[in-house]
Each structure stands twice: as C-alpha cells, then as structure tokens.
Amino acid sequence: MGFLHYGETRSFGFTDRELTHLRTVILGKLNLQESLVFTWIDEGAQHSVWLHPTIPLHFEFETEVSPELNPAWIEQLLTLANSPAGLRLVAEPEQEQG
C-alpha cells in the first residue's frame, strides 16, 4: 500500500500499482501547470481533492521497484484528467499482448 500525501496534513492510501499510474498522470498535468480535480471511491465513500501546482504532493510507495506501466490505463486516466469531470480512479484495463 502506497500513499498520496496531499498538503501538509492529509494522506490517502492506494496500491503501489494504482499510485504509479496516478503519479504519471498527475505529475504530467502539474508539469504543464494545469490544475485538476481527482476523485475516487474508498470504502464506500467518495473523495475529491483539488490538485494544483502550488499544493505540496508526495507519493510514498511500499516497494522500491515501480510496477510496469500499462499504456492503456495511462491513456484512459489522461482522457479522464482532461475531461470537465476530472481524473477518476477507474479499474485497470487488460494489457494487450504484443
């Protein structure tokens, strides 16, 4: 289990696999100085946070090795991040066998 530390006081848990993909999308948006809302459901409750380049974020992973990225999931998450509703954590699609 990894954690997204938001600001100085909040932390949210995700699997390392989810967090690796979220980090890729979130940092891509923030690197372009773009803000976004990020929404997910955890234990039956919906959470939303506003992500802005000036808000401190810290990604903490349980393991040292980053999981391999699934390009289809990155593309899906980026599409959501660029939509009016913002980034939402959705189930990982199966990877195409190459």
Side-chain angles (χ1 to χ4, degrees), residues 17-82:
R17 182 149 188 85
E18 291 169 336
L19 196 56
T20 298
H21 287 77
L22 290 169
R23 177 184 64 183
T24 301
V25 172
I26 291 169
L27 293 182
K29 294 286 285 179
L30 296 179
N31 186 52
L32 295 172
Q33 297 297 307
E34 296 178 1
S35 302
L36 66 150
V37 66
F38 169 44
T39 301
W40 71 99
I41 296 175
D42 181 33
E43 297 179 10
Q46 180 173 293
H47 302 271
S48 292
V49 293
W50 181 249
L51 301 174
H52 186 274
T54 62
I55 298 171
L57 287 179
H58 175 82
F59 298 86
E60 178 183 350
F61 295 89
E62 182 176 47
T63 59
E64 294 180 15
V65 179
S66 292
E68 182 177 329
L69 291 175
N70 177 343
W73 200 10
I74 294 293
E75 184 176 331
Q76 185 179 31
L77 293 171
L78 274 172
T79 298
L80 291 168
N82 289 321

Side-chain angles (χ1 to χ4, degrees), residues 85-97:
L87 176 60
R88 293 182 310 281
L89 182 58
V90 294
E92 179 176 8
E94 290 193 30
Q95 293 191 52
E96 293 183 19
Q97 300 299 318

